[in-house]
Amino acid sequence: MNYKDINFSKYSSIKIGTTLNVALLEECVSSIEDYYLIGSCNNVLIGTEPPPLMMLSKKYDYIKIEDGILKIGGATPSGKVASFCKKNNIANFEFVSHLPGKLGGLVYMNAGLKEYEIFNNLVNITTCSGVKKRDEINYGYRFTDISEPILEAAFKLSYGFDETKVEMFKKMRSNQPRTPSAGSCFKNPEGDYAGRLIEAVGLKGKRVGDMEFSSEHANFLVNHGDGNFDDAIFLIKEAQRKVFEEFDIWLECEVVVLDKRYMSDKRLNRNAREALNAESYTTHT
Ligand SMILES: Cc1cc2nc3c(=O)[nH]c(=O)nc-3n(C[C@H](O)[C@H](O)[C@H](O)COP(=O)(O)OP(=O)(O)OC[C@H]3O[C@@H](n4cnc5c(N)ncnc54)[C@H](O)[C@@H]3O)c2cc1C
């Protein structure tokens, strides 16, 4: 395998992490199972004890139309997809220009804005195991059960790029902070909003070091410059604990925490109340 040095304090959208040697997935070989795949790190928080990381090589950065189907490589940036659709008058991808990431990451997270989600027009994905149709995949709000690198995704092709939708999505994003973040920190619990709950427990604008639950939108954990992993994790746990104590609602992380100490930690990544009850939280000094 070839490797590439990546400085995560520059590469990741939340600007946290050190320089790490990242493997490049060029071919389907068995050793890829030893690595955790990243895209362009718009939804991840890299820890101080990260797992071995891998990313798709440039080979998977392409867009093509074949047999009336739009085929996009997993390493294709969302901005490139949006420009291609605009230039070729293709419909239903207008929202993608407002979602930072690469196509594989967008599909894996079923990224979207309100009811506009990447799965709406998905036909199938290609992984090292072959082609998997949409109805063979479990998916939902910011969730899929895909467990392999997505090399390519194929979409229904409809024509009619809609400029008014671009404006609509732009407006939808206007309340989001521009300070570096990893997007929404928590998923919205059913029937409620993570931002509202964080605000209700008094954590909107709460700052530890350079990390803060943004005073513009509480569900954005922003980095004011020199923010670090420990302060980010402290704030995440604090929000989970307080919201749980006050509302009996467990905030599930949308941000993917890439640190060996937390990756199997159900308290951070899953809806596991028992685990929280077992844990006594330490106070941050
Ligand atoms: C300012 C800001 C605003 C945002 N707004 C939104 C929003 O409105 N809606 C929304 O849905 N998201 C939003 N996001 C989050 C982000 O745009 C999406 O989660 C996007 O899908 C991340 O893509 P990525 O390539 O950066 O993936 P990464 O962050 O690198 O990875 C995210 C996850 O995807 C997996 N993954 C990445 N590539 C692949 C692949 N090829 N195959 C399989 N798995 C893969 C990784 O293993 C990881 O678990 C926002 C982010 C930011 C920074």
Side-chain angles (χ1 to χ4, degrees):
M1 269 217 204
N2 288 319
Y3 291 82
K4 192 177 171 182
D5 277 340
I6 305 259
N7 179 350
F8 286 92
S9 70
K10 294 204 167 77
Y11 185 76
S12 71
S13 61
I14 197 166
K15 309 291 176 215
I16 289 178
T18 52
T19 300
L20 300 167
N21 207 228
V22 177
L24 294 174
L25 192 167
E26 274 150 351
E27 306 296 336
C28 289
V29 287
S30 60
S31 58
I32 63 174
E33 284 173 18
D34 302 337
Y35 298 89
Y36 190 93
L37 188 78
I38 52 167
S40 47
C41 290
N42 285 284
N43 209 199
V44 305
L45 178 59
I46 306 266
T48 44
E49 291 182 30
L53 299 173
M54 176 177 70
M55 59 173 37
L56 297 181
S57 78
K58 281 265 174 215
K59 177 179 160 186
Y60 299 101
D61 176 355
Y62 59 80
I63 309 178
K64 58 190 179 189
I65 295 173
E66 260 176 24
D67 308 324
I69 299 274
L70 184 63
K71 296 184 174 177
I72 309 177
T76 313
S78 56
K80 188 167 172 177
V81 176
S83 310
F84 181 90
C85 291
K86 185 173 179 177
K87 190 167 159 219
N88 294 283
N89 192 30
I90 293 169
N92 300 327
F93 288 85
E94 294 84 353
F95 70 102
V96 165
S97 60
H98 297 280
L99 294 181
K102 290 184 182 168
L103 200 271
L106 297 180
V107 173
Y108 176 81
M109 301 296 291
N110 188 17
L113 281 166
K114 302 249 158 92
E115 70 270 30
Y116 300 89
E117 291 180 335
I118 201 81
F119 261 64
N120 293 0
N121 297 291
L122 186 80
V123 175
N124 64 45
I125 61 166
T126 303
T127 68
C128 289
S129 313
V131 174
K132 215 171 188 184
K133 293 195 191 114
R134 182 173 79 156
D135 57 16
E136 293 174 295
I137 304 168
N138 275 324
Y139 65 92
Y141 164 61
R142 306 293 169 267
F143 159 80
T144 68
D145 68 352
I146 299 166
S147 58
E148 283 182 278
I150 300 156
L151 306 177
E152 181 184 282
F155 298 90
K156 277 180 238 156
L157 186 61
S158 326
Y159 286 97
F161 184 86
D162 188 345
E163 210 44 83
T164 58
K165 278 194 182 157
V166 176
E167 283 309 307
M168 179 180 84
F169 294 125
K170 205 169 162 184
K171 274 202 191 114
M172 278 187 197
R173 303 300 299 273
S174 58
N175 70 337
Q176 293 189 354
R178 293 183 183 279
T179 319
S181 74
S184 297
C185 185
F186 300 105
K187 296 183 184 186
N188 287 322
E190 222 177 310
D192 212 328
Y193 292 97
R196 187 196 78 77
L197 293 164
I198 294 167
E199 187 170 356
V201 297
L203 289 178
K204 185 172 184 176
K206 168 80 178 168
R207 184 165 171 166
V208 176
D210 263 356
M211 299 307 298
E212 182 197 27
F213 281 121
S214 173
S215 46
E216 290 167 73
H217 189 317
N219 196 23
F220 276 66
L221 182 58
V222 296
N223 180 356
H224 285 287
D226 221 8
N228 65 41
F229 179 72
D230 289 342
D231 291 341
I233 287 290
F234 173 77
L235 283 168
I236 288 172
K237 286 184 169 183
E238 193 66 355
Q240 288 180 320
R241 181 179 66 83
K242 286 196 161 189
V243 168
F244 183 68
E245 280 172 5
E246 207 155 312
F247 296 101
D248 205 23
I249 293 172
W250 185 252
L251 286 179
E252 192 183 346
C253 278
E254 180 168 322
V255 61
V256 178
V257 179
L258 293 184
D259 187 292
K260 283 187 241 168
R261 288 165 297 171
Y262 296 98
M263 286 178 71
S264 58
D265 186 337
K266 294 185 167 56
R267 284 164 298 128
L268 279 170
N269 288 310
R270 297 236 177 85
N271 190 350
R273 173 182 305 188
E274 316 77 47
L276 172 76
N277 290 339
E279 161 94 346
S280 62
Y281 280 82
T282 48
T283 321
H284 196 267
T285 50

